[in-house]
Amino acid sequence: MSPLPQSLPATDPTQNPPLSEVAAALAPYIHTRAETLRIRRLLSAHLAASLTHEESTDGETPITHLTLGAPPSTLVVKRTPKELQGGGDARVRAAYLSALQSHAVAKKRYQALRDEIEELRQSQVVDSASRDVNRGDGAAEEYIQLVKLRRRVERTKVVDKAVERVCDARLVEGGAGGIGKRRTGVRETDREGDVVMDGGISRSAEGRGRGGRGRGGRGRGGGINTERLQREVLKHVGDGARPPSMRNITPDRQSSLVELQVTGWLNSKASSNDDRGVSSLITFLERHATKRSALFRQRGGKAATGSRIKRSRVEGDTLHIFVLQQEYESYSRLNNFVFAGKSITVTCENPPRSRSPHNSGTSPEPANEVQQLIQDLLSRRFDYSSKLLSLNALGTDEQLQEIGMFKTPETQSKFFLATMKVCSAQFQTAEEKRETIQSVSLADNNLPNLSIVTSLAQTFPDLKNLDLSGNKIENTSALGAWRHKFRHLEQLLLNNNPIEKLQPGWEVEVMKWFPKLRLLNGIQVRTDAQLAQMDQSKAIPLVQAPDFRDEGGIVQNLLLKFFTAFDSDRPALANMYYDNDCSFSLNVNTHALRDKDAQEMLKQSWDPYIRISRNLKHLNNPKVRTNRKITGPEEITKTWAQIPATRHPALTSEFHKWVIECASQPGVPDPTGTYPQGVTGFMVTVHGEYEEPIPSRQDRTMRRSFDRTFVLGPGGPLKVRILSDILTVRAYGGSAAFRLGLPVAAPIIAPVVAPAAMTPVTEQDLMVLELAKITGLTLEVAKQCLETSNWNLHTAMGTFETHKATLPPTAFA
Amino acid sequence: MAGAVDFANIAQQFVKFYYEQFDTNRGNLGALYRHQSMLTFEGTPAQGADAILEKLQSLPFTSVQHRTDTLDAQPSSEEGGILVLVTGALLVEGSERPMSFTQTFQLRPEAGTFYVFNDVFRLVYPAA
């Protein structure tokens, strides 16, 4: 829209004859200054007529062609210009314009809605301020709101039910009234939301005193007082509002109550009490149920909270008790218990479905009955203080015998597997399991081998003490299933097994299987010092200094130049050491172990490498295999250009980051053809690291580790060429493996030059290389030449020219 | 250089065989070496099939499992030798953490088969 310059000065080159055609073509678009101004005015007037600010134009920016470069958001198109109401193109433009208008309207609505949502969200954030909510994520917040609403609904249901039941119970006992008030109380609680809910828990805890436990009013006259009812209600609210655990988001059946019926207590010795012995019966039931469920509740040093009866009522000779669903099993086991001289019957009309919160829905669960039996067994057989699970003499367990669990090996095996499963389900983490159960006894089970109990190793892999005494194990092969299992086993008992007599020396073998074993049949088989030493030697088997067999510093000189040049000038390097007989290939080990302390843990992108990676383990296409073996300096240069920039640590000052080994290698090609069988070269293996820029983050680098193998042979401008070059790049793995080897002296067979012993590369070295390169002298002779020339390269060149004719052929490389 | 030989396949077969034997029965590895063979195990050299076998048998673990992650090979000598570079991880008995290793082999042909002329083994990442 901006007008073109009215005219160009006469001196302007465009006005010169060669470009007159251009000037002529542009003429219709070139206007005088006055014309331009008029056009501008017209434009402004047109725009002002067509556009308007949404609200009053007071104080708004005037609409001109200048201000429309960045139109304000309030701007709207007032009308569709008349000239666009024709046909053809104009109609399209009109349509576009109206679409634009609709778009503007939609955008405005969108903005308004967003503002509204934002406002709502803000208020909700305030509402949930007591929770530690990550506010950054809108989706998560919405989800949390949803979950909260669901919970609130559940809670309301619980409260409703509770109110109903409380009322029923009170009405049965002859109380009346107060319902209206109670309802009010409930509603208030609900409206106040989470904060009050949490308060509800603490208040319900207060209410756990004798008075507040749902049977408190009994025997003291049943007048209904609102406060107590409220407390009653709050208690249920508290139960409903208990924060769900991580793996169980919805407040489900765990928090609902189960009703059991207790009969047979009517004429007990306690029946002469005021309440016919009901309160002592309840205490009795609670005490025993707590014992039944106490097994794993005690873990972590926490005292058992107890299996409380939430509510109760008496109807004739039946005591109805209401307990949390998860307590159901503890109570149902009290069937046939003897209370004050009378055997009581505990029944349930609607038993809850089997409870196994840790099992996934798909895995087959042991039958309910068996599961109860197992839980019962575990609670009887686990000793929390000694962290010992005694599964000894299971065959003589009366309860197990009753259901025929030990009739056949199949049922035994199934039973044991189920037991292990139930055990596992008690723990949420492996750590918890490890801490809670450290010892298992399988003594006196007549086990001839481990086929029945083999799953113990999977269930308790970190066991410290294991008792297998009093079984029928005859030899170590009967124990084979646990060979190399129980990596932390410290004590093993195999007393009173036939193996002791039948397989002399069995101890030695068993010892080998369990690396941490200290006590075998009560006899110390390893001392702490031995264990410590074993740990060390297992961790790093014999890391030693490198084996480096160079001759005349050939390899050393090459390496000193090589990595510096690889970092700075790859094309030059390729032309220096590689010719058309030389090959390079690279592969990436994406599985390599990483140095966990290094920041490089985070980011590993291999893109530039993967394109050229030649890992024969995965690369099966023969054509690709061939293509990715790069031959000749030109191709090598091209390939190297694809490798990200590198910076290797200096070989001389940071030698601890390197391991370089070198061995002689006969049969390498002789470029002169003198020796068709080849001559002796070197095979060099290099392990080290380099820094590489991180593409997305300027001036940041990441480290990588590499392994590189060269085969060196004679040839090329420097008389040494790299015939083969295989490079493996992997995630940074640190240099700890190399460092640990340093204090150990290398056994000397041939002259050994460790990288540590490499002389720093000096100017003199470079001069020697340079002179050798120019003259073709061996490095040795070139050095002598420079020495006699007082380390002046120019003088040395003169010296060489002077003595060239008299030098023996051996002086040349 | 002996282009007719499918060095890549030979290297692949060799590596598979070598580590299988190493992990199951190290004693079988002796057949892969000759009197002129050289093993450098963590910087400790051993020359000759007997010495190499002895070295391998005396390593301070009774069982070990190798996992090879990468394998690359190039022809390397006039008479059809093959240079093989392997990297991977190994787990020795009694240790729970794998260790990274690299191993370079120089295979040389001999009467239609190959033997290990050079064998350079190095752990490059320790079990921490």
Side-chain angles (χ1 to χ4, degrees):
Chain A
M1 275 292 178
S2 76
L4 292 160
Q6 60 174 83
S7 66
L8 296 159
T11 51
D12 193 286
T14 54
Q15 290 291 27
N16 290 343
L19 286 171
S20 58
E21 284 170 31
V22 176
L26 289 174
Y29 305 102
I30 297 172
H31 304 284
T32 65
R33 194 170 189 79
E35 264 177 311
T36 310
L37 279 171
R38 194 177 62 83
I39 292 168
R40 279 182 190 168
R41 269 199 303 276
L42 279 173
L43 257 176
S44 291
H46 173 76
L47 288 169
S50 308
L51 299 170
T52 181
H53 286 292
E54 188 185 8
E55 279 137 26
S56 85
T57 53
D58 296 348
E60 295 285 358
T61 332
I63 296 164
T64 72
H65 64 280
L66 292 174
T67 55
L68 288 173
S73 60
T74 53
L75 205 65
V76 290
V77 178
K78 196 153 59 176
R79 64 177 179 93
T80 310
K82 280 196 199 86
E83 55 272 29
L84 293 187
Q85 283 159 14
D89 278 1
R91 208 179 317 163
V92 176
R93 280 187 214 157
Y96 174 70
L97 210 55
S98 69
L100 264 184
Q101 279 170 315
S102 320
H103 175 74
V105 172
K107 210 169 158 185
K108 220 158 55 193
R109 273 194 59 193
Y110 171 74
Q111 190 56 43
L113 284 169
R114 265 188 66 137
D115 289 351
E116 204 177 323
I117 287 171
E118 190 52 40
E119 210 172 290
L120 282 170
R121 195 173 286 165
Q122 293 261 329
S123 63
Q124 276 166 355
V125 166
V126 172
D127 181 41
S128 62
S130 61
R131 309 247 152 184
D132 190 15
V133 174
N134 178 6
R135 300 180 197 180
D137 189 346
E141 263 173 43
E142 274 163 37
Y143 180 68
I144 287 166
Q145 290 301 333
L146 184 66
V147 170
K148 273 188 181 171
L149 281 173
R150 281 189 192 147
R151 280 180 50 196
R152 206 173 278 190
V153 169
E154 291 293 330
R155 234 177 273 142
T156 315
K157 281 185 193 162
V158 171
V159 171
D160 273 353
K161 259 191 201 166
V163 170
E164 257 167 49
R165 286 182 183 172
V166 169
C167 292
D168 289 352
R170 296 294 158 183
L171 289 168
V172 165
E173 287 186 42
I179 288 174
K181 281 176 188 170
R182 285 201 299 277
R183 292 269 180 214
T184 317
V186 172
R187 297 251 163 77
E188 268 172 18
T189 311
D190 194 32
R191 246 202 322 273
E192 282 170 39
D194 293 332
V195 180
V196 172
M197 292 300 171
D198 293 340
I201 289 175
S202 67
R203 261 191 267 176
S204 87
E206 269 169 43
R208 290 260 157 88
R210 286 306 280 182
R213 228 194 293 151
R215 63 178 193 277
R218 197 163 290 122
R220 291 184 208 157
I224 287 189
N225 99 23
T226 351
E227 193 200 316
R228 201 169 66 212
L229 260 179
Q230 228 167 359
R231 227 189 298 146
E232 200 72 65
V233 169
L234 279 172
K235 181 150 72 70
H236 291 290
V237 171
D239 289 333
R242 194 158 289 155
S245 65
M246 290 301 286
R247 71 204 135 80
N248 206 350
I249 293 285
T250 49
D252 63 359
R253 56 202 170 86
Q254 287 239 0
S255 53
S256 60
L257 297 180
V258 179
E259 183 183 354
L260 293 111
Q261 294 82 34
V262 186
T263 52
W265 47 273
L266 206 52
N267 297 314
S268 74
K269 287 176 200 159
S271 60
S272 57
N273 295 0
D274 287 355
D275 58 354
R276 295 187 294 170
V278 171
S279 60
S280 19
L281 174 61
I282 285 172
T283 313
F284 171 86
L285 291 171
E286 284 186 345
R287 192 174 69 236
H288 285 275
T290 303
K291 273 189 205 163
R292 294 295 163 281
S293 72
L295 165 59
F296 296 110
R297 290 173 149 257
Q298 289 175 336
R299 60 178 185 259
K302 270 192 235 161
T305 51
S307 304
R308 297 290 181 209
I309 292 171
K310 297 297 167 189
R311 288 187 293 113
S312 61
R313 69 168 189 270
V314 180
E315 278 177 13
D317 61 352
T318 307
L319 170 71
H320 299 263
I321 57 170
F322 295 82
V323 301
L324 286 177
Q325 181 156 344
Q326 59 263 42
E327 307 283 16
Y328 162 75
E329 279 141 10
S330 318
Y331 280 92
S332 62
R333 279 187 225 138
L334 305 182
N335 191 22
N336 296 329
F337 268 53
V338 175
F339 165 69
K342 296 284 287 181
S343 174
I344 55 167
T345 310
V346 181
T347 54
C348 182
E349 281 168 9
N350 298 305
R353 279 173 298 141
S354 122
R355 182 182 75 92
S356 59
H358 303 279
N359 284 356
S360 67
T362 51
S363 69
E365 292 173 16
N368 201 6
E369 188 191 342
V370 178
Q371 195 177 353
Q372 269 186 44
L373 188 91
I374 291 169
Q375 287 196 330
D376 189 26
L377 176 85
L378 291 176
S379 58
R380 280 186 284 123
R381 302 275 197 134
F382 175 67
D383 180 39
Y384 178 72
S385 57
S386 61
K387 303 186 176 187
L388 166 70
L389 182 62
S390 305
L391 299 176
N392 53 325
L394 289 175
T396 60
D397 191 289
E398 281 176 22
Q399 289 192 32
L400 296 182
Q401 270 178 341
E402 254 173 51
I403 57 160
M405 227 6 113
F406 285 84
K407 268 182 196 156
T408 68
E410 286 76 33
T411 51
Q412 288 175 20
S413 183
K414 271 186 191 163
F415 171 77
F416 194 83
L417 199 64
T419 307
M420 289 298 107
K421 214 167 159 183
V422 173
C423 264
S424 272
Q426 307 294 330
F427 303 101
Q428 287 180 44
T429 64
E431 199 188 349
E432 198 183 343
K433 191 162 69 179
R434 184 166 58 233
E435 286 305 310
T436 311
I437 296 185
Q438 298 190 346
S439 311
V440 169
S441 169
L442 288 169
D444 306 317
N445 278 320
N446 290 322
L447 298 170
N449 54 48
L450 304 173
S451 60
I452 291 171
V453 295
T454 183
S455 53
L456 185 79
Q458 281 87 55
T459 312
F460 298 108
D462 302 315
L463 218 56
K464 286 190 171 159
N465 307 291
L466 179 60
D467 184 357
L468 281 169
S469 57
N471 282 297
K472 300 257 184 283
I473 290 159
E474 295 188 347
N475 47 45
T476 44
S477 58
L479 295 168
W482 284 347
R483 188 178 173 205
H484 302 311
K485 303 282 197 275
F486 301 116
R487 307 309 293 170
H488 304 283
L489 194 70
E490 292 175 5
Q491 171 161 213
L492 178 64
L493 292 173
L494 276 163
N495 314 62
N496 299 324
N497 273 288
I499 190 174
E500 289 182 293
K501 281 177 192 152
L502 295 178
Q503 191 181 335
W506 63 276
E507 299 98 328
V508 181
E509 191 162 357
V510 169
M511 232 183 94
K512 278 193 209 157
W513 294 358
F514 306 107
K516 295 278 160 69
L517 198 69
R518 289 158 199 269
L519 291 168
L520 187 54
N521 284 2
I523 296 160
Q524 185 171 26
V525 291
R526 282 192 189 102
T527 62
D528 289 355
Q530 276 171 329
L531 284 166
Q533 198 189 1
M534 266 175 55
D535 278 353
Q536 214 168 12
S537 68
K538 283 283 158 57
I540 315 286
L542 289 181
V543 178
Q544 300 218 351
D547 184 23
F548 194 83
R549 297 143 193 258
D550 198 358
E551 275 169 42
I554 295 171
V555 177
Q556 181 176 316
N557 284 328
L558 178 133
L559 292 173
L560 284 170
K561 283 191 89 172
F562 186 89
F563 292 101
T564 322
F566 193 82
D567 293 346
S568 57
D569 191 353
R570 288 179 196 164
L573 180 66
N575 285 299
M576 212 185 291
Y577 288 119
Y578 299 77
D579 64 18
N580 288 329
D581 292 336
C582 301
S583 316
F584 166 81
S585 57
L586 170 150
N587 63 74
V588 181
N589 184 347
T590 52
H591 292 97
L593 304 169
R594 299 171 181 194
D595 188 343
K596 292 183 179 56
D597 299 329
Q599 58 187 25
E600 284 82 357
M601 277 307 281
L602 294 171
K603 206 178 154 74
Q604 290 291 334
S605 163
W606 297 108
D607 293 352
Y609 296 96
I610 291 289
R611 280 195 285 272
I612 48 173
S613 178
R614 183 176 187 264
N615 183 356
L616 298 178
K617 218 169 132 61
H618 303 303
L619 208 63
N620 291 318
N621 184 334
K623 208 168 162 186
V624 183
R625 282 182 166 192
T626 311
N627 288 346
R628 292 199 181 167
K629 183 169 80 75
I630 319 294
T631 307
E634 278 168 38
E635 292 303 313
I636 290 175
T637 304
K638 276 189 212 162
T639 305
W640 281 359
Q642 295 180 49
I643 301 175
T646 54
R647 190 165 69 232
H648 291 80
L651 262 172
T652 45
S653 56
E654 296 182 84
F655 54 83
H656 61 275
K657 292 181 178 171
W658 299 80
V659 170
I660 299 171
E661 287 169 296
C662 173
S664 65
Q665 156 136 356
V668 302
D670 174 17
T672 63
T674 316
Y675 303 97
Q677 290 307 306
V679 294
T680 299
F682 298 97
M683 184 177 87
V684 185
T685 58
V686 182
H687 309 290
E689 64 187 71
Y690 61 78
E691 283 176 82
E692 175 186 314
I694 301 174
S696 55
R697 301 169 73 174
Q698 285 181 349
D699 65 69
R700 284 287 309 277
T701 60
M702 70 187 300
R703 282 178 292 183
R704 300 210 194 262
S705 285
F706 72 90
D707 309 292
R708 200 162 186 167
T709 299
F710 302 105
V711 171
L712 309 185
L718 293 186
K719 308 293 168 201
V720 182
R721 44 180 193 163
I722 298 174
L723 291 158
S724 288
D725 176 357
I726 305 183
L727 171 63
T728 300
V729 184
R730 52 192 165 84
Y732 180 65
S735 54
F738 317 154
R739 248 199 322 275
L740 284 160
L742 283 183
V744 185
I748 293 169
I749 288 182
V752 171
V753 186
M758 280 189 172
T759 47
V761 66
T762 60
E763 206 181 344
Q764 293 186 351
D765 290 335
L766 293 174
M767 285 166 76
V768 172
L769 278 170
E770 187 65 23
L771 185 65
K773 188 176 154 188
I774 300 165
T775 59
L777 289 170
T778 64
L779 292 170
E780 196 69 12
V781 179
K783 193 180 168 194
Q784 284 173 14
C785 181
L786 275 159
E787 275 168 355
T788 52
S789 315
N790 218 6
W791 293 100
N792 180 316
L793 193 58
H794 192 71
T795 319
M797 284 297 292
T799 313
F800 169 72
E801 290 301 331
T802 319
H803 297 92
K804 196 162 123 185
T806 58
L807 285 170
T810 52
F812 294 91
Chain B
M1 249 185 275
V5 183
D6 186 356
F7 60 90
N9 266 334
I10 292 165
Q12 217 170 354
Q13 283 168 28
F14 164 77
V15 167
K16 190 166 178 285
F17 178 79
Y18 182 88
Y19 292 108
E20 271 174 12
Q21 296 304 316
F22 203 114
D23 294 355
T24 52
N25 187 355
R26 262 179 268 166
N28 291 349
L29 293 175
L32 294 172
Y33 300 89
R34 301 287 178 273
H35 74 275
Q36 68 270 37
S37 300
M38 168 89 87
L39 163 73
T40 310
F41 188 89
E42 284 288 297
T44 314
Q47 177 137 29
D50 295 343
I52 291 170
L53 194 60
E54 196 188 322
K55 172 72 195 160
L56 293 177
Q57 298 274 37
S58 68
L59 294 175
F61 43 79
T62 51
S63 81
V64 61
Q65 280 174 293
H66 287 81
R67 180 193 78 202
T68 54
D69 291 333
T70 73
L71 154 66
D72 196 2
Q74 291 183 8
S76 66
S77 73
E78 286 290 33
E79 82 277 1
I82 303 170
L83 179 71
V84 184
L85 175 61
V86 179
T87 70
L90 58 84
L91 191 64
V92 300
E93 168 203 43
S95 166
E96 282 173 356
R97 293 177 190 261
M99 294 178 272
S100 283
F101 74 92
T102 78
Q103 195 158 10
T104 304
F105 299 98
Q106 182 65 244
L107 307 182
R108 294 180 84 181
E110 181 194 69
T113 168
F114 284 81
Y115 70 93
V116 182
F117 180 70
N118 265 325
D119 175 350
V120 184
F121 174 90
R122 177 120 335 235
L123 287 176
V124 289
Y125 182 67

